[in-house]
Amino acid sequence: MPRSKVVHGMIAMDDVSDNNKIWRMLFAEFLGTAILLFLGCGSIMWLNGSTNSSDILAISLTFGFTIATLVQIFGQTSGCHINPAVTVSFLVSGQCSFFEICSVHSCTVFGGYSRYLPSRICYSRRSN
């Protein structure tokens, strides 16, 4: 295999040239992570220190149903990695290029940070 093809595959020039594909994928990862953190962490913030088994079941179901819904919504667009560990496993297995992994990971991080302030505002009123 020529060296240029290997470098071309690592950088993923096809993804860069198709602007609609890459931007849809990055926005889906950003939005998926933001929704997961807002709903999942929001379900934890309603506990107020109680650890009943029904509360723990409600938290698990919230995370589970949120992830299942997000995979159904964004799976075709971006693969719905949501978790950086899943993103790294795609890199190790060779299913994604290095460029895709870096951009998806940065959108996942920004999606997480984008939910911090709204979550803090919405759920801090509950504890007062």
Side-chain angles (χ1 to χ4, degrees):
M1 181 183 282
R3 185 174 172 89
S4 63
K5 288 215 177 235
V6 173
V7 172
H8 188 271
M10 282 183 66
I11 299 175
M13 294 304 287
D14 297 332
D15 294 331
V16 175
S17 63
D18 187 8
N19 281 335
N20 288 336
K21 179 184 175 188
I22 193 76
W23 287 114
R24 281 184 295 174
M25 180 181 74
L26 295 178
F27 184 70
E29 287 297 324
F30 174 82
L31 195 59
T33 305
I35 291 171
L36 174 67
L37 290 178
F38 186 72
L39 294 177
C41 296
S43 69
I44 295 171
M45 290 182 171
W46 286 93
L47 282 181
N48 287 335
S50 68
T51 55
N52 297 337
S53 59
S54 62
D55 293 335
I56 294 172
L57 179 65
I59 293 169
S60 339
L61 289 174
T62 301
F63 273 102
F65 285 136
T66 303
I67 290 174
T69 304
L70 291 173
V71 167
Q72 288 294 318
I73 293 171
F74 298 124
Q76 293 294 324
T77 306
S78 68
C80 199
H81 299 178
I82 299 174
N83 186 347
V86 175
T87 307
V88 171
S89 71
F90 271 73
L91 177 65
V92 170
S93 66
Q95 295 179 12
C96 287
S97 66
F98 186 72
F99 174 75
E100 283 181 277
I101 297 302
C102 290
S103 56
V104 165
H105 183 68
S106 63
C107 281
T108 303
V109 169
F110 289 134
Y113 282 130
S114 73
R115 285 295 115 200
Y116 170 72
L117 188 59
S119 296
R120 182 87 173 162
I121 291 169
C122 288
Y123 299 123
S124 66
R125 295 180 186 162
R126 172 83 171 119
S127 63
N128 290 339

